Structure formats: structure tokens, C-alpha cells
Amino acid sequence: MYRWFDERLSLSRFNKKFLNKAFAVHHSYFIGEIALFAFITLVITGIFLTFNYEPSIRTVKVAGKAVSAAYASVLYIDSLPFGRVLRSVHHWSASIMIAAAFIHLLRVLVSGAYKRPREINWFIGLLLLVVAIVTSFTGYSLPFDAFSATATSIGYGIGTSIPYVGEWISQIIFGGEFPTLHSIPRVYALHVLWFPLILMAILGMHMLVMVKQKHTQPNYARKVAPGRILGVPLMPQQAYMSTVLFLLYLAVVFFIAGAYIAHPIEVYGPPTASTPAVKPDWYLIWVYGILQIIPGDLKIPLPFGAVMNSEFIGSILVPGILGLAAVLLPFLDTRSTKMRYMELPTKHPVRTGVTFALLAFLITTTLAGWKQELGLSAGQLWFIILGSSLLTYLVVYYAIIFFWGRPSKEDAGAV
Amino acid sequence: MYKNDSVLPFFGLLFAVALWMMAYFDGQHLAMLLGHAPEELSGGQIGLITFGAVFFIYGVMGYVSYWLEGEELRPGRHEASNSLWAGVAIVLLLILLVALAGVFTQTIIYWSTEGPVSTGFAGRLAGYILLDMAAILVVFKKYFVAEVVVAEDEHSEVPW
């Protein structure tokens, strides 16, 4: 049968060219693969969920209680054999995809893999992280329980805060002023069709560019095979490793998803008039934390009657500035040669220090999300956020200098 | 970053344990000490467990890669050291896989006909099956698949 296909499609030629492709070997590459496998799991479990979910907030009766059809259909999914576990796997995979993509981004940052010629893939990776977060967020509203309705209304409010076009953008995404009858069908279409298609396209581009440009290799490869790609062929070695990783990923997620139902809608209940305000999911708590520590009545007037309010500044402007800095980062490197090998973080104390300071910033702004529970004032939290970020930078910078010495002139010149 | 060593995977596992402990002590354990039965995880706990899971998978996979592929690659073909005991291990793991698959099928049938089964039990069962499959592949690759290492021209025509 193989020969039949081979005569028509020249499969052996394809195999020789593509399946022997060399893949560099380093454990840090697995982090990006974890994000990829989380996405594949999301698609597979998502297909199961779409078969049983009803994207509507029309009222139906469940055990004599009036609830939305969306909420009732998620209760139905939870009642199916293994249904609750699969829905939980979907939820955990969304979280893991974002976390893995973020750690992958940090790995690329500390190893200098964003430099020439891989700037394009750095931009694509940043876009991928943003779209993954937005896709995950749109999934929140779908069960239409108390938690998701309030969390989504916060997102709607953030969207409307964008000067000039915010109202327009939010109404396109949510089919009018959230929640309307059109909100759930509109967000559903975005969550199960358009955003996954966009994610697939960006992921495809990311991997295509990676295959073309190759990984930055571990440093020892410089001695073993200078100027060449030292690695194992896609088939069978790399395929074995990737399959083991996928199985291990699924095993861990099934363990966790079975033990902890991440979004138990039976506990949250349907939305009511007295539903309390909730915190967003973990990957947006740092934004919520910034909103907690800037004055709520902050308003900066703009031309033509528009204003930048605190919601816009905290949740769009500050993350936007960080994103812009990330986009501009590769341009700080002015090398004319091709970057072939991973750089050691210990030879770049400034860059490593800034990366850890960024982490300290994200962790402390996340903590600020618990401002009321911690009983701290906005001023105290600002002091903690800025102080810990600065202190982290200094500690990491001087620790590297102390333990590994000052970098050479050549290394010190590169960011 | 210098070679495929086991240092970072070790710290990956260490972080995983630390994050898991933080998630556990953040609410669950304290609530139980106070006599409450917490019904759901907080956003912070979900975040901690998520990062813990990523570090755990990375750490374990890092060790697997270190064991199967070594610290440094050397171009050429390196034959696998076929082992009788590895063959026996694979057969035992396959028997275990069939048994676990049988229990899983029975669990789903019971769930459909008699009523809900604990999600924790069902999730663990699926996890054991997947772990068993991963273990079979790992042992097979280590003892029965020759390691081919290539030094490819960086201007290869793949994909263009």
C-alpha cells in the first residue's frame, strides 16, 4: 500500500527531506512543546464540549429552578460519564497553555534567542501569548454562572474604557451591552471558531519559522559541530520524545483535573442580582492588582471629549507599555552575525536581572489583587512593588557578578 | 543552557513541589484545620498549581531526556543496548495497560448505568493509563531504538 501511495505522491522523497530534519536537543525546548500539547488538548476536549453545549441564555427549568440554557447545558456536560473530568481538563489546559507559553517566553528572553535572525518569531510568540489569553478569557463567559458573568462584565468594562473605539469594540465582541441575548452566541463563535483559527495560524507560522531558522543550540554544539545543526532526526527520535511528553502532559492534567474541578459551576450557581464582585483568573490578577492601587477616579482628558480612565490605564496602557518594550527588545541588539547558540544567563547580568525584576513586578502586582484581604494601603503596595522589583534586579545582578564574575567586553556589550 | 544536563530539570521539580505546597497551604489546609470543607480553588491556587504542573512536566521530561539522549550529542549511529529485562518490563507494562484499560471501561459503564463515580478516581485512572503508555515508550526507546545523531547543514532546504 505504501508503494501505491509512494508512486503517486513521491512519499519516500518527502520522508528523506522532512522526516530526517535535525532537531537540536535541550530540555528547555520542552516548555514550548508543553504549550503546543495544551493547545491540542484544548481543541480535542473543546470538540467534545461543543457537542453538548448550548450557547444561549434563554431560560430553562432544571430541577424546578429557572436557569440559562448555557448554564443548564454545562450541568448536563458535568452529568455525562467522564464529562466533568473532560471539562476540567479543558479548563486546566487553558491555564497550562498560558503558563507554559509565558515560561517559554522567559526562556527565550534569558537565553537571548530573540536576537537576529529570530526577531520575527519573537514577535509571533508575543502575539501568540496575547491571543491565548484573550481566547481563554472568552471561554469564561460561556458557562454563564455567577463567577463567569461577573468576570466577563469586568472584561466588557475594560474593553469599553479604550478611548474613541472601546464602546464599539466591546459591542462587537459581546453583541451589544453585556449581557444581552446575543452576547453568549457571539462570544461562543469567537471562542470556538475564530480565535482557535487565529491561534492555529499563528502557531503554524511560529513552527514554520522555527523549522526554517532552527533552534538556538546548546553551547557545547559550537565545539562538536561548528556552524552546523547538531540534533536528532524528526523520525523516529524526536517523534518518540514528543509522544512521551504529550502522554506525560495528559497524565498530569488528568490527575489534576480529576482531583480539582477548576470551575465548579454547581458551587458558583447561576448569576443573581446579589452576585458579589470576583477576581479574574490568575493570569489577569496582576492587571486587577494594578487597578486596585491606582486612584479609581483617575481621568486624563484627550482631544474630542475622550478620556483615559483608570480602567484603561491599569488594564491596557500598563500591559501595553510592557508589550511595547518586549517588541522593541530585539532592536537593542545590533549584531550583524547570526545568533546560533543559546547564551548563558550568567554572562548577561543586566538582562537576567531585568527578567527577574519583571517577574518580581508581576508577582507583587498579583499580590496587590488581594489588597483588601492583606489590609495594605495603595501606597504601601506601590512601595512593595517598586521596591521588590528594584531589589530583585540588584540582588540578581550582583549575585551573578559575585559568583560568575564580570562578563567579558563582548558579552557585556550585548543586551 | 550549556548542555542537556539535569540541573534545571531538578530545579523544575523543586519549584513544582514548592508551588504545590503553597497552593495547598493557601486555603485548603488552613480551611480544613478550621473545620471547613473548601468547595473550590481560588484563582491564586489555580495559578500556583498550574505553574507547579508545568514545572513538574518539564522536570520529569528533562530527566527523561537526560537519561535517553544524554548530556551531549555526538554525530553518528549509536546502537541500542538490547536487554532481556527491558523486554520483560515492556511486556509487564503492556499487561498492566490492558488491566487498567479494562478497569477504566468498567468505570465508564458503571458511571453510565449506576451513577456518578468520583472524578478524582476516574482522573487518576486515566492518568495511570497515560503514564503506563509513556513508560512503555521510554523503555522501548532506551533499549531497542538506535540513536542517530546528525550534523545538518544550517542552510538545508527544509522547508524551503
Side-chain angles (χ1 to χ4, degrees):
Chain A
M1 196 159 120
Y2 176 79
R3 193 191 293 169
W4 191 86
F5 277 104
D6 192 27
E7 282 169 5
R8 284 151 186 82
L9 300 171
S10 303
L11 287 182
S12 49
R13 206 183 138 142
F14 173 87
N15 290 350
K16 197 177 170 191
K17 191 171 176 183
F18 287 94
L19 302 188
N20 281 326
K21 158 103 191 74
F23 274 77
V25 170
H26 193 262
H27 45 68
S28 65
Y29 304 151
F30 291 128
I31 301 169
E33 281 190 59
I34 293 172
L36 173 68
F37 292 138
F39 178 69
I40 293 170
T41 309
L42 280 166
V43 172
I44 295 167
T45 50
I47 290 169
F48 163 75
L49 294 175
T50 57
F51 286 155
N52 301 289
Y53 174 73
E54 185 180 339
S56 165
I57 56 169
R58 72 184 174 84
T59 305
V60 295
K61 292 253 178 192
V62 174
K65 199 173 169 185
V67 294
S68 69
Y71 183 84
S73 65
V74 178
L75 287 178
Y76 171 69
I77 289 169
D78 281 359
S79 73
L80 294 170
F82 215 51
R84 208 169 181 214
V85 178
L86 288 176
R87 188 170 73 80
S88 188
V89 166
H90 189 77
H91 199 107
W92 280 107
S93 289
S95 274
I96 289 178
M97 182 180 174
I98 292 169
F102 176 69
I103 299 171
H104 176 60
L105 187 135
L106 290 183
R107 196 280 294 173
V108 170
L109 184 60
V110 296
S111 65
Y114 58 85
K115 293 179 181 176
R116 181 191 169 98
R118 296 182 183 78
E119 305 96 322
I120 298 168
N121 237 9
W122 170 252
F123 303 144
I124 294 174
L126 290 172
L127 185 64
L128 195 56
L129 181 61
V130 173
V131 177
I133 289 173
V134 173
T135 309
S136 182
F137 181 76
T138 54
Y140 253 99
S141 62
L142 298 184
F144 211 69
D145 59 278
F147 181 95
S148 68
T150 45
T152 311
S153 61
I154 294 170
Y156 176 82
I158 289 170
T160 55
S161 73
I162 303 171
Y164 305 112
V165 292
E167 198 80 28
W168 184 69
I169 290 174
S170 275
Q171 296 216 1
I172 285 179
I173 293 173
F174 294 99
E177 200 171 320
F178 182 81
T180 73
L181 273 176
H182 307 292
S183 298
I184 294 297
R186 184 71 61 91
V187 176
Y188 177 70
L190 289 170
H191 182 74
V192 306
L193 181 67
W194 294 111
F195 282 129
L197 282 178
I198 293 169
L199 271 175
M200 277 182 208
I202 303 173
L203 261 172
M205 262 196 291
H206 194 63
M207 286 191 290
L208 189 68
V209 175
M210 187 271 288
V211 170
K212 172 64 190 161
Q213 297 182 330
K214 334 293 182 208
H215 278 105
T216 43
Q217 301 184 76
N219 234 311
Y220 78 87
R222 191 194 299 263
K223 291 173 191 164
V224 179
R228 298 179 77 85
I229 306 299
L230 182 68
V232 295
L234 172 62
M235 283 297 282
Q237 273 116 312
Q238 182 59 33
Y240 270 115
M241 296 307 287
S242 294
T243 310
V244 170
L245 176 58
F246 194 19
L247 290 169
L248 179 67
Y249 166 81
L250 286 174
V252 171
V253 174
F254 270 102
F255 272 118
I256 295 173
Y260 302 105
I261 304 299
H263 196 96
I265 66 158
E266 297 85 349
V267 177
Y268 297 141
T272 61
S274 59
T275 296
V278 293
K279 291 182 181 56
D281 213 348
W282 62 268
Y283 48 83
L284 289 174
I285 295 183
W286 70 281
V287 170
Y288 179 78
I290 294 172
L291 287 173
Q292 298 291 303
I293 55 173
I294 57 174
D297 55 355
L298 191 65
K299 278 194 173 88
I300 300 172
L302 295 171
F304 309 111
V307 287
M308 273 203 284
N309 61 17
S310 53
E311 257 182 323
F312 174 76
I313 293 168
S315 52
I316 295 179
L317 193 64
V318 175
I321 290 169
L322 285 176
L324 185 66
V327 168
L328 294 176
L329 184 65
F331 300 109
L332 292 177
D333 187 67
T334 52
R335 71 173 58 219
S336 57
T337 53
K338 196 173 174 181
M339 170 89 182
R340 293 191 173 91
Y341 304 99
M342 284 195 277
E343 292 173 340
L344 297 178
T346 48
K347 288 198 171 179
H348 297 266
V350 174
R351 185 178 67 206
T352 309
V354 170
T355 306
F356 276 89
L358 173 72
L359 269 179
F361 175 79
L362 291 174
I363 291 169
T364 46
T365 45
T366 297
L367 281 177
W370 280 272
K371 179 174 172 262
Q372 285 182 341
E373 290 87 339
L374 291 169
L376 296 171
S377 68
Q380 287 169 317
L381 284 165
W382 270 118
F383 179 76
I384 292 170
I385 290 166
L386 297 177
S388 62
S389 303
L390 183 66
L391 187 68
T392 303
Y393 172 78
L394 293 172
V395 167
V396 171
Y397 179 85
Y398 284 107
I400 289 175
I401 300 288
F402 181 77
F403 288 109
W404 287 277
R406 288 195 179 273
S408 65
K409 268 190 180 174
E410 188 192 337
D411 287 326
V415 175
Chain B
M1 302 299 171
Y2 187 78
K3 50 189 173 182
N4 191 39
D5 54 24
S6 60
V7 177
L8 286 178
F10 169 77
F11 281 101
L13 290 178
L14 198 66
F15 279 149
V17 173
L19 290 167
W20 167 255
M21 294 306 288
M22 282 169 73
Y24 181 69
F25 283 112
D26 172 25
Q28 293 287 96
H29 185 62
L30 295 178
M32 278 187 277
L33 287 177
L34 292 169
H36 301 294
E39 289 170 311
E40 80 254 30
L41 297 176
S42 69
Q45 284 173 310
I46 291 174
L48 291 169
I49 294 175
T50 297
F51 277 98
V54 175
F55 281 121
F56 179 79
I57 297 166
Y58 163 69
V60 172
M61 202 57 209
Y63 272 102
V64 169
S65 172
Y66 174 69
W67 190 52
L68 294 181
E69 302 175 299
E71 275 195 337
E72 296 185 6
L73 299 179
R74 290 287 178 268
R77 184 183 171 87
H78 313 281
E79 292 302 331
S81 57
N82 296 4
S83 149
L84 174 67
W85 290 111
V88 171
I90 288 175
V91 170
L92 290 176
L93 285 168
L94 280 169
I95 292 168
L96 181 64
L97 181 62
V98 173
L100 286 170
V103 176
F104 185 77
T105 310
Q106 286 300 318
T107 304
I108 298 299
I109 292 170
Y110 182 90
W111 205 333
S112 316
T113 53
E114 305 295 324
V117 175
S118 150
T119 54
F121 174 73
R124 275 198 303 277
L125 206 48
Y128 289 138
I129 290 171
L130 293 156
L131 269 185
D132 191 89
M133 289 162 73
I136 291 169
L137 273 183
V138 168
V139 176
F140 183 72
K141 185 179 181 313
K142 177 73 181 172
Y143 293 100
F144 299 101
V145 179
E147 184 80 2
V148 178
V149 176
V150 289
E152 186 184 88
D153 178 23
E154 69 173 0
H155 301 294
S156 67
E157 296 296 311
V158 181
W160 64 85

